[in-house]
Amino acid sequence: MPWVNQEMCTGCGICVRECPVDAMEQQADGRALIREDECIRCGKCHDVCPRNAVRHDSERIPLEVAQNLQWVQTLLKNFSTQEEQAAFMERMGRYFKKQIKVGERTLEVVSQAKSDFSGVLDAAMRALRIPENH
Ligand code: SF4
Ligand code: SF4
């Protein structure tokens, strides 16, 4: 998922005009923003930006880790005793391990697809007994 580094963006608007699904907007100061729920991940904004301000998703890993830690810290406040806190941290550990497994298994299917991509995804979903438009 691309994102716009606000410090590097000059607000030229090129990416906003080039986005094929209108998933980008210019803020009051002109700088671009991606509406993540509308982005189809085509990468065009990254390719056309003259300032290299549209950045790769991997650069956000530290930020997303920090957001996770902040979330855990917020929830932790609901538990007062050492035992409750330890049990909570264990549950959160299980939750993050599950997230890793979901990512790994999804990646397995995605990287198996060399052609007929949609067919490979349909077959994998059938194997998991999940309806295609679930
Ligand atoms: S990746 Fe494509 S769809 Fe997403 S914001 Fe950029 S140009 Fe638009
Ligand atoms: S093309 Fe680059 S510099 Fe121009 S508005 Fe988009 S992100 Fe900002």
Side-chain angles (χ1 to χ4, degrees):
M1 177 77 211
W3 58 285
V4 178
N5 181 319
Q6 297 295 305
E7 283 167 20
M8 297 169 81
C9 175
T10 58
C12 68
I14 294 173
C15 59
V16 178
R17 290 192 291 278
E18 292 290 325
C19 176
V21 292
D22 269 341
M24 302 191 76
E25 62 186 78
Q26 279 180 283
Q27 305 168 92
D29 62 4
R31 287 187 272 198
L33 257 191
I34 295 173
R35 289 189 292 272
E36 297 199 1
D37 51 344
E38 293 173 31
C39 170
I40 60 168
R41 287 129 171 100
C42 69
K44 203 160 199 171
C45 50
H46 175 266
D47 297 342
V48 299
C49 177
R51 304 302 298 252
N52 231 3
V54 181
R55 312 297 303 172
H56 289 293
D57 206 17
S58 58
E59 291 179 29
R60 281 204 294 199
I61 290 173
L63 172 68
E64 290 183 18
V65 171
Q67 286 170 337
N68 276 339
L69 295 178
Q70 198 169 29
W71 178 49
V72 172
Q73 200 166 40
T74 303
L75 295 183
L76 183 64
K77 292 184 185 132
N78 293 298
F79 305 96
S80 48
T81 69
Q82 180 91 27
E83 290 74 24
E84 284 174 337
Q85 291 189 348
F88 165 74
M89 292 302 266
E90 212 177 298
R91 282 195 294 277
M92 293 312 285
R94 285 201 297 273
Y95 168 77
F96 287 116
K97 279 183 193 156
K98 186 215 74 179
Q99 297 295 84
I100 292 171
K101 280 188 193 156
V102 170
E104 283 175 348
R105 291 196 195 173
T106 306
L107 191 56
E108 259 171 43
V109 176
V110 170
S111 43
Q112 271 166 14
K114 306 290 180 217
S115 62
D116 184 19
F117 302 109
S118 186
V120 170
L121 298 181
D122 283 348
M125 283 190 283
R126 275 199 301 278
L128 293 165
R129 300 182 200 287
I130 306 291
E132 283 159 35
N133 293 317
H134 183 68

